[in-house]
Each structure stands twice: as structure tokens, then as C-alpha cells.
Amino acid sequence: MSPEAAPPLAALAGAAVAFAASHALAPVALRWRFVDPPGPRKLHAAPVPLVGGAALLLAALAGFVASAWFGGTGTAGRGLPLAALALPLATLAIGALDDAHGKTMRPAVKALLTLAALAACLAGAGVGFGASLLAIAPLFALVHATNTIDHVDGLCAGTAALALLDAAAAALLLGDAELAIRLAALGGGALGFLFLNFPRARVFLGDSGTLLLGGVLAALWLHWRRPEVFLLATVPLADFLSVAWLRVRAGAKPWIGDRRHVTHRLVASGVPQTRAVLALLCLQAAAASVGAWLLAHPLPLATAVAVAAGGIVLVALVFAGLAPEHA
């Protein structure tokens, strides 16, 4: 089989695995109270099963099986460093702990655990001390942006699917068929999960699912060490930055949840929720495609940093002024 044919097949396999696993695990999660309960800032009136972490992990495992089966043909990659494989598992574990305790983990504890995992994986990947100091804050934002954007049905799974499928395309263009297959399977898994999560969610990713996805994106930076990786998550990062800025400007703590996310403000201004999500997914598709193309055709490092940072900040500024605040 040609290297170009294997990733789409892996994506289909990942989608099937995640969809089937979500269906099968939902009643188990309800029985074990592994759920997201309703609340004053939530749209659901009944507990929703938190099965995304397990479903996506199974999709990722399907990708490893597929890469072992097909990846020998046309694979020119040097393989993922062990730290890049460990980071998503660490963030998955942090999210699972929060989910298991009814999402009552204090934000400071979750942040410290994430920083510890990032620091350990940066050291394990051989990133120097100075480079680690520069990278740890952006990587922390990347991990948690996927978590904070999971505030409306379909947005996190959709943006992550686009990011991962574009990353798979970049890996294939770079000659790393094995990585392309693995990323395609996980991206397909996010799409398979999306069928049960949008436009009306019957299952949720939970922190285990969102932090797993964030950990995978951060692991891609450990692998490629390129700023273009952040463009793959333009919409989550721009929303993360815009919300933090709006909260600080209003005198609120940036880590305390509210309804200042761009989707909340668009809905408050009269845009239907489904249309708002689809518009953001279109923007994410364009930005992630640019990021993938730049990964495969890299600019000089300083230029790449300016392009990635400037693009994300520009989108964040647009988000911050797009619609009235709705705390």
C-alpha cells in the first residue's frame, strides 16, 4: 500500500473505533457516575457521560496498530521521542483525575500538575534549560486551550480533528508516514466522537479527552520543535488568550470560568449556536491548513515565530472585539 493511502484508512478506522467506544462506554459511565452534572453555566439538564478520553485513547491505539501494519512503506521519520509519547498520557491522567472527582480539582492543582508534566517531558526530550523556559508557557497554553474551548457542543472535538488531520498531512509531506497514520487515526477518532457530540451532545470529552488532545498537540512541538505547530490550534489558542484578556480587563480571575468565550458572546448577540460553532470551525480549518503547509515548507525560525505569534494574536484581538461581553 502506498504511504498516501494509509492515513485516510487509519482515519476511518479511528473514527469507527471512537464512535463505537463512545456508544459502548456511555451507559457504563452513567452507571459509575463518571459524568458532567448540570449546573448554572451549563446547557444540559441531565448528567452527560464523560467518555471522550477513553474513546480517543482507543482510537490512538488503533493508530499505533495501523502504523505498525502499514507504516513500514515509505516511512522516513526518525520516530517520536519517548517524552512526546509520555506527555499525552500524563495530561490524560490529569484530566481523568479531575473527571473522577466530579471536576472539583482546584485550577491551581491542575495547573501545577500540567507544568510538572511539561517540565519533565521537556527535560526528557533533551530541550535545553533556556529553551524550556521559553517554551513552557506557550505549551501550557496549548494544552489548556483545548480544555477551555470545550464549553460548547462540538467545538473542541471539531477543532482538534482539523488540527490533527492537518498535522497528519504535514507529517506525510515531511516523509513520516508512520506519524501521519497515527495522527490521522486520532484525528479520525475526534471526528467519530463528533457525531455524538454535535450539534447536540450525548457524550462529552471531559477533561480526560480535552487534555489528551492538548497533550498530543504539545507533543508535536516536542517532535518538530517548530512554532508553526501552534497555528494548528489557532482557534483554541485565540479564544484562550481573548478570554484571559477580557477577564483581566474586567477585574476577574483569568482561570475562573464565565461566559466570555467568543461562542458565548456570539450567541448572546443573536447568532445561533450551531452557526457560531461552524463559523469557528471554518476559521480553524483555514488556519490549521496554513500551519500544516508551513510545517512542510518551513520559514526561517525568526520569521516563523513572528508569523505564528502574530496570526494567533490577531485572531485573539478579533475575538475580543467581535461581540459584546457576556459574563
Side-chain angles (χ1 to χ4, degrees):
M1 180 180 294
S2 69
E4 293 78 13
L9 291 177
L12 290 174
V17 167
F19 182 82
S22 298
H23 256 302
L25 292 172
V28 178
L30 284 172
R31 192 177 310 121
W32 289 356
R33 307 301 298 169
F34 204 74
V35 297
D36 185 26
R41 291 192 299 107
K42 299 176 181 179
L43 299 176
H44 51 285
V48 178
L50 300 172
V51 300
L56 292 176
L57 181 60
L58 290 173
L61 291 175
F64 275 83
V65 172
S67 68
W69 189 265
F70 298 118
T73 302
T75 300
R78 56 182 174 82
L80 285 172
L82 182 60
L85 295 173
L87 182 57
L89 296 177
T91 54
L92 168 67
I94 294 167
L97 283 173
D98 195 19
D99 289 340
H101 289 85
K103 293 186 174 292
T104 59
M105 184 185 290
R106 295 176 62 184
V109 173
K110 191 188 298 186
L112 286 173
L113 289 174
T114 304
L115 288 170
L118 285 170
C121 290
L122 283 165
V127 180
F129 181 73
S132 295
L133 287 179
L134 292 173
I136 197 163
L139 290 176
F140 178 88
L142 183 58
V143 170
H144 280 277
T146 59
N147 180 241
T148 58
I149 206 169
D150 190 33
H151 57 266
V152 64
D153 295 347
L155 188 54
C156 181
T159 54
L162 292 166
L164 291 166
L165 292 175
D166 273 306
L172 196 61
L173 288 172
L174 290 167
D176 195 341
E178 185 177 3
L179 179 60
I181 291 168
R182 294 175 181 178
L183 291 171
L186 185 55
L191 283 179
F193 181 86
L194 193 61
F195 280 101
L196 298 174
N197 187 244
F198 182 77
R200 191 69 178 175
R202 287 173 277 171
V203 292
F204 282 170
L205 284 169
D207 280 9
S208 55
T210 60
L211 292 180
L212 168 64
L213 292 169
V216 170
L217 293 175
L220 288 177
W221 184 88
L222 289 176
H223 178 56
W224 280 321
R225 312 282 175 91
R226 294 293 305 181
E228 296 90 343
V229 168
F230 293 93
L231 287 172
L232 297 173
T234 294
V235 167
L237 283 169
D239 185 65
F240 182 86
L241 293 175
S242 66
V243 167
W245 161 245
L246 291 173
R247 288 171 182 168
V248 169
R249 192 177 69 177
K253 295 177 180 178
W255 56 85
I256 301 299
D258 56 27
R259 297 184 68 80
R260 289 188 172 93
H261 292 279
V262 64
T263 42
H264 291 147
R265 290 181 287 115
L266 286 172
V267 170
S269 66
V271 179
Q273 179 177 299
T274 299
R275 189 175 299 175
V277 171
L278 290 174
L280 291 173
L281 290 180
C282 288
L283 175 60
Q284 168 69 10
S289 296
V290 170
W293 189 88
L294 289 175
L295 278 167
H297 306 84
L299 299 169
L301 183 58
T303 305
V305 170
V307 168
I312 292 167
V313 169
L314 178 62
V315 176
L317 290 172
V318 172
F319 283 0
L322 197 58
E325 290 186 38
H326 186 67

